[in-house]
Amino acid sequence: MIEMQDVWKTYPNGTHALQGVSVKIDRNEFVYVVGPSGAGKSTFMKLIYREEVPTKGQISVNGFNIGKLKQRKIPYVRRNIGVIFQDFRLLPRLTAYENVAFAMEVIEAPKRQMKKRVMEVLDLVGLKSKANRQPAQLSGGEQQRIAIARAIVNNPSVIIADEPTGNLDPETSWGIMQLLDEINFRGTTIVMATHNKDIVNTMRKRVIAIEQGNIVRDQLRGEYGYDF
Amino acid sequence: MTFNTFLRHLREGAKNVFRNGWMSVASIVSIIVSLFILGVFILLVLNVNAVADKADKQVQIRAYLNLNVDQKLREAVQKEIAAMPEVSKIDFISKEQGLDDFRKSMGEEGKDLLEGFDKDNNPLPDAFKIEVYEPTTVPFVAKKIEALNTTHTEQQPIMKVKYGKGTIETLFKVTRAVRNIGFIFVAGLALMSMFLISNTIRVTILARRREIGIMKLVGATNTFIRWPFFVEGTLIGLIGSLITLLLLFVGYDRLAASVGSDISLQMSLLPVSDLWQWGGLLLILGVLIGMWGTTLSIRKFLKV
């Protein structure tokens, strides 16, 4: 599903973010990516949804060779990858419904199907009743739920979540985690970078630890392993 | 692109005009200002051109004949002048007719002055009134007519050739300068307004850079992102140029009405009906500026 072979990433400023990372993530897995800040977690995530290109090595996602992808093919690969961020990244001037529908407009889904599907995922994230609110009128947890609804609306095979609970209080974070677990249970691969020790140690999943651009630990049902 | 998607782009583009509120107003105003100045200059140049054309047509040569020229020589000279390729028309004005014309032009005041002059006592010479195709050839034709004295050596026919010498030449210079400067000015303004507008639109897009990034993350193609911006730019251009046309039309109409009623100013502005194609040009220009401004300024934000 996702496979990296000896991937190196050096930024133009000389930072060696990743130094020879090889990893394989299978269909339907739930993976935590942990490690200190600046260790290369974000770069690892960005390479998967092709925000960055590897300096060296190969990455394949859903059978596409991400590194060699032509510029105009990128959108089509991204449609199969849902992304969730710490800062939600909703379109501020659209309502919750419109934000989710946008992802379907992009793939030119038929209108009737769109309405049905958007309401379906809004129901799944528990925000059907707030479909017409704008992001600013929603709480942080609610905004993240909308972002998740947007990420899953097109049934992607994988979801990349970069610290999805980073801006949320513990209680709200658990709600989000339950939702992600549910989505994973329905058959979507989830790769989630996190700093949340409680979550990793309680909801046991595979843990990949990255330090100084290298994978230093890869454990099934692993622990967070840091004291911060 | 499906039809639904196309409708979506139109809808989004129109919505964006409202969503961006003051930025849209700023873009529209900058289009209005530039197109308005452009429009005023076009109107000015067109009217100056019309006046100059009119003045051109009024340029004619008068060739006065020596008093002792007989009918035979007169007719020969008339033929020779009429045969010149530059000459469009030649009329003979006898001394009697000349006197009549003179009386008429002097009016009441001239009555006393011209008392005593009649058929037998006429101080005026016979003359030809000559018109040419191309006003700029007037001085040249005048010289050619004077030169007839050198070919008819036994009896020089021409006493004097007149054509409002200096005044005509300066008029030509002035009209030509106005035309040239006007058109250079108009071209410069058009270019300037394009940059002004693309800059304003660039600012609105800068504010939406983040949004564009989000759209790309969701898997939107560049075309998909670009379309609503394109529609928005077109709408802004359209609204701006329509308002400009309205302002220009109302202003020009008022001006034409006030000038037209003032008989002492012996000139009138071109009628509005002669100017609609220029209005169309401004409209197209406004729309093009809007389109061009958005496409140009969005390009660099699409590489995410």
Side-chain angles (χ1 to χ4, degrees), chain B residues 63-65 67 69 74 92-96 124-128:
Chain B
Y64 297 98
L65 299 178
L67 292 175
V69 169
R74 197 187 77 211
F92 174 66
I93 297 173
S94 64
K95 54 173 90 171
E96 293 80 17
L124 293 176
D126 285 333
F128 290 121

Side-chain angles (χ1 to χ4, degrees), chain A residues 46-54 58-70 74 77 81:
Chain A
K46 281 179 182 167
L47 286 169
I48 298 172
Y49 61 86
R50 180 49 177 82
E51 177 139 343
E52 295 293 346
V53 207
Q58 285 213 339
I59 304 170
S60 86
V61 177
N62 294 326
F64 288 99
N65 185 343
I66 295 285
K68 296 255 160 58
L69 208 60
K70 280 193 183 121
I74 296 171
V77 170
I81 304 172

Side-chain angles (χ1 to χ4, degrees), chain A residues 49 51 75-76 78-79 83 85 87 89-94 98 102-103 105-106 108 111 150, chain B residues 1-2 4-5 8 11-12 15 19-20 208 210-211 214-221 224 304:
Chain A
Y49 61 86
E51 177 139 343
Y76 302 96
R78 284 192 183 152
R79 289 173 191 183
V83 282
F85 300 94
D87 58 355
R89 302 211 188 162
L90 297 173
L91 295 167
R93 288 177 297 191
L94 302 185
E98 288 166 340
F102 183 77
E105 285 174 354
V106 159
E108 304 198 23
K111 211 152 195 185
R150 182 181 64 188
Chain B
M1 188 173 21
T2 64
N4 261 336
T5 306
R8 184 244 167 219
R11 206 169 49 235
E12 283 301 306
K15 270 192 202 162
R19 279 187 194 137
N20 287 322
R208 281 182 280 176
R210 202 179 127 81
E211 286 181 38
I214 295 172
M215 291 176 185
K216 298 218 72 171
L217 282 179
V218 183
T221 57
F224 190 91
V304 178

Side-chain angles (χ1 to χ4, degrees), chain B residues 58-83:
Chain B
Q58 285 166 353
V59 175
Q60 40 176 256
I61 304 166
R62 262 174 200 263
Y64 297 98
L65 299 178
N66 281 322
L67 292 175
N68 50 1
V69 169
D70 61 10
Q71 195 180 342
K72 196 172 146 218
L73 180 58
R74 197 187 77 211
E75 277 166 5
V77 167
Q78 182 164 2
K79 250 181 214 151
E80 279 176 65
I81 295 175

Side-chain angles (χ1 to χ4, degrees), chain B residues 241-260:
Chain B
S241 46
L242 280 177
I243 294 176
T244 312
L245 283 186
L246 194 74
L247 289 175
L248 283 175
F249 176 79
V250 171
Y252 189 78
D253 204 48
R254 289 265 170 88
L255 193 69
S258 71
V259 168

